[in-house]
Amino acid sequence: MKRFVLFAAVLQGLTFAGTAAAQGAAAPQAAPGYAAYPCLSYSLPCGKLATRKPEKKDLVGPLNGNAAKGKQIAQARNRGNCLACHVMPGGSQPGSRGPDLSHFSSTGRSAAEAYAMVWDMRTVNPETLMPPFGTNEILTDQELRDVVAFLLSSK
Amino acid sequence: MFERKRTILLSALVLGLAAGCAVLGDGTYRERYPDAQIDPFKGVEGDVGFSDTIQYWRDEAALQRHAGLADKPAEVWKLNWKHMDLDRIDLHPGHLAVDEGQALVKKLAARNPAFLTCLGEGSADLKGKAAAYPKFDEALGRIVTVEARIEHCAKSVLKEDLSQGKPPNTRISVYFKSLSAGMPIKVDLSDENVMEAYRRGEELFYRKTGQLNFACASCHVPGSIMGHKLRGETPTTPFGDAAHYPTYRTPVGALESIQERFARCHGQMRTQGLKPGDPAYADLEVFVTVLSNGYPVSVPSAR
């Protein structure tokens, strides 16, 4: 039974794993708190939190990113999970809402441009669906550099 | 001074609108997904011109006609998973939940028959009643869902804790709703309190939250992620969804109420989830149930 449950969970492709809610009530897990971000509550403090404003962030110094690490971060459901929306080199079950990034290097975008976009795509497109990975602290500065190195290595 | 405050507020509003955002009454800057302009009075038929998938799942005949979509990975989402309701007649654990819920109601009503008449608002006959939920309860002064009614009656009549989201509550809810199976959902929009709850729920649906900055609408309206692969899943239209809840989730082997489903989506959104019965979730349930108005209650179900 347990194996079946686990298998089914994998099959279902939990979009953003690592959360108790995503596992369903049957498999409780310590829930990471997201109370630092806006929620829908009428009474909890997160219900009164503001959306973090779009942040234009410049890449400081040389990129110094590790493409192999970036690839892992992009694939991990509990990290970047870029694959939820993008086709990228490697990885399984890519999403289809965002543009195909598997040949990103051929778009001619610079490291600084890519970095700023992944930091906060809202500075480019205020209506974007893409999460603001830097502004909302989903990824650290170094993780962003690794992801950008991975993007630039995608031919 | 007052003048200045007003111009600041005004320009904040204009800025907010320009960026596709709204400024809440409390002055908090909160991003919103652009409004999809749903007409609540169309009920489930509002999906026409929305996702336009209702043509594939409107009734059993449509589902039979388009059964082939089930074998097409890129198109199966258009069935809104309603093809899974075709196995209504088969024995799945959702049916067992109905029996368990019935047995539980019988047991509790034996302790005090007022439990049953509380559920039925003055009558012991529950047939067809669930189709009119959520509703505004004058005496309680709030929106009441089927699960909230069960919790309230257990507490007030039996001094028993049947909290929403707990298995006994959900089992009774499945039984209660199964007594309206096949009857069209009719949330009463002529009740202004219900209409206000709908508007609040609608507002919540478009509000961006959490670390990923998603609104419900980011995944469940046309132009969003709806219909697109999101790794292993594909979000579908919100129309018609409320009809089959609570549902038996085969992958995890447990019943799930619609508010627990909201919390699960919130988990995916990396947003602080709320407890079943939370007033914000009750408003969201009003919103999505209005989007099922006219569609038959499809409980028990399995997903």
Side-chain angles (χ1 to χ4, degrees):
Chain A
M1 182 62 194
K2 236 193 181 148
R3 268 189 56 188
F4 169 68
V5 168
L6 228 142
F7 179 65
V10 171
L11 265 186
Q12 284 256 310
L14 298 170
T15 322
F16 294 103
T19 66
Q23 307 283 331
Q29 228 184 36
Y34 295 115
Y37 301 92
C39 72
L40 295 183
S41 172
Y42 296 140
S43 49
L44 297 172
C46 55
K48 299 259 185 297
L49 288 179
T51 307
R52 295 189 189 180
K53 293 250 168 64
E55 203 173 274
K56 186 138 182 31
K57 176 84 169 176
D58 295 326
L59 175 63
V60 180
L63 181 62
N64 276 336
N66 178 326
K69 278 190 187 158
K71 183 174 184 174
Q72 282 173 8
I73 294 162
Q75 291 180 4
R77 292 173 195 273
N78 61 350
R79 303 300 304 134
N81 200 16
C82 315
L83 234 57
C85 296
H86 296 284
V87 175
M88 291 175 137
S92 61
Q93 296 187 307
S96 58
R97 181 57 181 81
D100 184 342
L101 300 176
S102 49
H103 309 287
F104 185 76
S105 67
S106 63
T107 61
R109 292 218 191 276
S110 68
E113 267 179 295
Y115 181 88
M117 284 171 140
V118 186
W119 184 275
D120 198 332
M121 185 60 87
R122 296 174 300 169
T123 57
V124 180
N125 172 14
E127 309 247 311
T128 189
L129 284 162
M130 187 161 138
F133 289 93
T135 305
N136 275 7
E137 300 172 88
I138 301 163
L139 299 176
T140 63
D141 171 66
Q142 186 56 50
E143 287 173 323
L144 269 160
R145 289 167 187 267
D146 294 343
V147 165
V148 169
F150 167 54
L151 284 173
L152 294 175
S153 75
S154 308
K155 302 213 174 16
Chain B
M1 183 60 203
F2 184 59
E3 246 344 275
R4 232 190 84 191
K5 241 189 181 157
R6 269 190 51 185
T7 43
I8 289 177
L9 223 142
L10 203 89
S11 52
L13 238 154
V14 169
L15 265 171
L17 286 176
C21 320
V23 176
L24 296 184
D26 60 9
T28 308
Y29 169 81
R30 203 68 73 60
E31 280 181 18
R32 297 177 56 72
Y33 191 91
D35 199 295
Q37 311 285 355
I38 291 167
D39 177 357
F41 294 98
K42 288 188 176 157
V44 73
E45 289 296 324
D47 192 58
V48 175
F50 184 83
S51 88
D52 272 328
T53 58
I54 188 174
Q55 57 184 305
Y56 307 113
W57 52 265
R58 183 178 278 112
D59 48 34
E60 306 246 345
L63 281 165
Q64 298 281 9
R65 237 182 354 262
H66 300 285
L69 290 179
D71 302 321
K72 300 187 178 135
E75 293 187 74
V76 61
W77 72 276
K78 293 178 183 168
L79 293 174
N80 199 12
W81 308 112
K82 293 295 185 192
H83 57 301
M84 299 191 74
D85 285 345
L86 285 174
D87 65 6
R88 225 173 278 151
I89 10 145
D90 293 355
L91 197 70
H92 60 70
H95 289 277
L96 295 179
V98 172
D99 296 344
E100 287 169 354
Q102 180 171 26
L104 196 51
V105 168
K106 216 171 150 189
K107 198 177 100 191
L108 295 172
R111 253 168 66 189
N112 188 343
F115 176 65
L116 196 54
T117 43
C118 174
L119 288 182
E121 293 171 273
S123 137
D125 184 7
L126 304 183
K127 207 165 167 47
K129 293 230 160 91
Y133 278 83
K135 54 166 76 171
F136 184 78
D137 187 296
E138 290 289 348
L140 297 175
R142 60 180 162 95
I143 292 292
V144 173
T145 62
V146 166
E147 287 96 28
R149 174 74 66 205
I150 294 162
E151 177 178 300
H152 164 73
C153 292
K155 198 172 183 183
S156 63
V157 178
L158 304 166
K159 308 279 175 276
E160 176 107 12
D161 176 23
L162 288 190
S163 291
Q164 298 176 58
K166 298 257 172 68
N169 182 303
T170 317
R171 267 182 224 126
I172 294 179
S173 174
V174 168
Y175 165 62
F176 193 159
K177 291 196 178 184
S178 75
L179 297 173
S180 296
M183 298 181 197
I185 292 173
K186 43 176 187 351
V187 179
D188 182 11
L189 285 174
S190 69
D191 180 334
E192 62 180 29
N193 292 298
V194 174
M195 196 64 209
E196 278 168 20
Y198 172 87
R199 289 298 176 204
R200 286 194 302 270
E202 178 181 48
E203 201 277 324
L204 298 176
F205 190 79
Y206 295 100
R207 199 193 281 181
K208 292 193 182 178
T209 63
Q211 193 180 34
L212 299 177
N213 205 32
F214 287 150
C216 309
S218 302
C219 289
H220 292 293
V221 310
S224 73
I225 300 172
M226 187 188 83
H228 289 274
K229 280 259 165 294
L230 192 69
R231 296 208 87 157
E233 298 185 275
T234 306
T236 65
T237 179
F239 285 87
D241 284 350
H244 60 266
Y245 276 88
T247 194
Y248 183 82
R249 288 193 64 226
T250 313
V252 297
L255 287 177
E256 181 180 66
S257 71
I258 197 160
Q259 295 193 16
E260 288 176 285
R261 174 76 231 201
F262 297 164
R264 196 147 58 90
C265 283
H266 268 147
Q268 295 190 323
M269 297 156 76
R270 299 192 194 167
T271 295
Q272 174 72 51
L274 307 177
K275 286 206 188 83
D278 187 282
Y281 275 181
D283 288 343
L284 261 182
E285 183 168 341
V286 170
F287 175 70
V288 298
T289 312
V290 165
L291 305 194
S292 289
N293 258 354
Y295 195 85
V297 174
S298 316
V299 173
S301 69
R303 284 290 183 276

